[in-house]
Amino acid sequence: MREVQLGAHTIRSHGVKVAKTHMHDWIILLLLGVIIVILNVIHPFYRFVGVDMMPDLKYPLKGNTVPFWAVPMIALLLPFAVFIAFYVYRSDVYDLHHAILGVITDSIKDAVGRPRPDFFWRCFPDGKAVYHNVTGNVICHGDESVIKEGHKSFPSGHTSWCFAGLAFLALYLSGKIRAFDRRGHVAKLCIVFLPLLIASLVGVSRVDDYWHHWQDVFAGGLLGTVVACFCYLQFFPAPYHTNCWGPYAYFQVLEEGRSNAQPSNFTNPLNVSETEVESTYQEDEESNHIGASASHGASLALALGDLEPGRR
């Protein structure tokens, strides 16, 4: 039995309140978006690239298996579609808002400036290498935009974005389907690992296309996963928690509604939350299991006793 029926917190009824409460969070997100755009526009750090480094940077210049325009669709639109689907099912604006707010990531590629594996052909498209006669640094004569992109190898932006969005989605799904309820459903784990598998395949494609070294992809995946975990735990309980299916704000609203609806010294036995019912159900189920095991043990003992000599 539920204290407040799901569907009581819709965009129409609580959307304005939620938006006002988290207005500063959305302002910060907007500023982060502006910073990311600036980082992609400015020139990255041009690290020294000498002739001795070139043997590892002569991989073929290829296109992208996963194009740039597909990354926001995978890392953002796909999780958003799942969040919206759960909103349609539950009509909980707190869950929708905090899920969308949690999907954020950042990039530090421009501050590192590591050359990509195909840097040689970006720098010398005609294959004629030119180096400074004193420092030994490269003197590139290729297209400026292509050379600029060649200094953005670490970490992998595709991988960091995809792992940030899809790792958050994996945590979100694990909470909604209670993947870690200790009942041993392997099918739930398959659902949880599916977003991570998609993100991993994107990372593998970056190495196969010679746009990144494996270290770049590993660091990008780690960065995205860490950001996703921090953002998820900011709004939702851990996936193994009893209340993992809802955001903190939802249970806070339930508690406030309970306090406002009833005197502090009176508790309506019918007015219990879904979590309390589920916890009671699990406890009863465990007690029944223990009782059944004890009865089975007693029956077994009597049966063995009948087989002893002199009791036939």
Side-chain angles (χ1 to χ4, degrees):
M1 190 173 297
R2 302 182 181 182
E3 179 178 330
V4 177
Q5 292 294 328
L6 296 178
H9 309 129
T10 62
I11 295 178
R12 178 176 296 181
S13 62
H14 290 73
V16 176
K17 176 183 177 181
V18 175
K20 288 182 178 180
T21 304
H22 294 274
M23 183 179 299
H24 59 285
D25 296 321
W26 287 105
I27 293 176
I28 294 297
L29 280 180
L30 180 61
L31 293 177
L32 288 175
V34 173
I35 292 174
I36 291 175
V37 172
I38 294 175
L39 289 176
N40 287 325
V41 171
I42 64 175
H43 283 279
F45 173 70
Y46 280 11
R47 177 183 291 189
F48 173 84
V49 182
V51 62
D52 295 337
M53 302 171 59
M54 278 302 174
D56 295 331
L57 304 176
K58 286 188 175 182
Y59 288 90
L61 182 60
K62 299 175 57 179
N64 291 287
T65 301
V66 180
F68 290 105
W69 58 263
V71 176
M73 298 183 65
I74 297 173
L76 297 177
L77 296 185
L78 177 58
F80 287 176
V82 176
F83 302 155
I84 294 173
F86 272 99
Y87 173 77
V88 172
Y89 174 71
R90 289 188 49 193
S91 298
D92 181 12
V93 69
Y94 292 98
D95 185 89
L96 176 65
H97 176 269
H98 294 332
I100 293 177
L101 188 62
V103 182
I104 61 173
T105 187
D106 198 2
S107 176
I108 58 173
K109 294 187 300 180
D110 291 335
V112 178
R114 185 183 188 185
R116 297 186 186 274
D118 56 6
F119 181 80
F120 178 89
W121 297 106
R122 293 175 179 271
C123 186
F124 312 121
D126 56 359
K128 299 179 180 179
V130 180
Y131 301 92
H132 194 276
N133 57 359
V134 177
T135 63
N137 194 19
V138 294
I139 302 178
C140 297
H141 50 265
D143 183 84
E144 183 178 356
S145 62
V146 177
I147 298 172
K148 174 185 174 182
E149 192 65 30
H151 284 275
K152 296 182 179 182
S153 187
F154 186 90
S156 169
H158 276 59
T159 310
S160 62
W161 271 78
C162 289
F163 266 94
L166 296 182
F168 188 97
L169 177 60
L171 291 169
Y172 181 85
L173 291 173
S174 66
K176 289 295 178 291
I177 64 177
R178 298 174 175 86
F180 303 102
D181 57 0
R182 292 177 292 182
R183 296 181 181 180
H185 296 294
V186 178
K188 292 184 177 181
L189 293 181
C190 294
I191 297 175
V192 173
F193 283 126
L194 181 59
L196 299 177
L197 176 61
I198 296 174
S200 299
L201 292 177
V202 172
V204 170
S205 72
R206 306 306 290 162
V207 178
D208 292 343
D209 294 337
Y210 308 123
W211 278 64
H212 289 284
H213 309 274
W214 71 266
Q215 299 94 333
D216 309 331
V217 172
F218 178 82
L222 181 62
L223 174 64
T225 303
V226 170
V227 171
C229 292
F230 271 102
C231 293
Y232 182 82
L233 295 177
Q234 182 72 16
F235 301 106
F236 294 86
Y240 53 82
H241 196 275
T242 305
N243 295 334
C244 61
W245 55 271
Y248 292 121
Y250 175 79
F251 299 107
Q252 183 178 359
V253 171
L254 292 185
E255 186 65 27
E256 293 174 355
R258 178 189 304 177
S259 301
N260 296 333
Q262 299 178 3
S264 58
N265 59 348
F266 176 75
T267 301
N268 186 347
L270 297 180
N271 192 20
V272 293
S273 65
E274 181 183 11
T275 305
E276 293 171 344
V277 173
E278 182 177 357
S279 300
T280 304
Y281 172 78
Q282 291 178 350
E283 291 175 359
D284 292 342
E285 187 178 23
E286 292 177 357
S287 299
N288 294 336
H289 178 71
I290 294 174
S293 299
S295 300
H296 178 71
S299 301
L300 181 61
L302 291 174
L304 292 176
D306 292 339
L307 295 178
E308 294 178 358
R311 298 189 60 182
R312 298 188 180 185

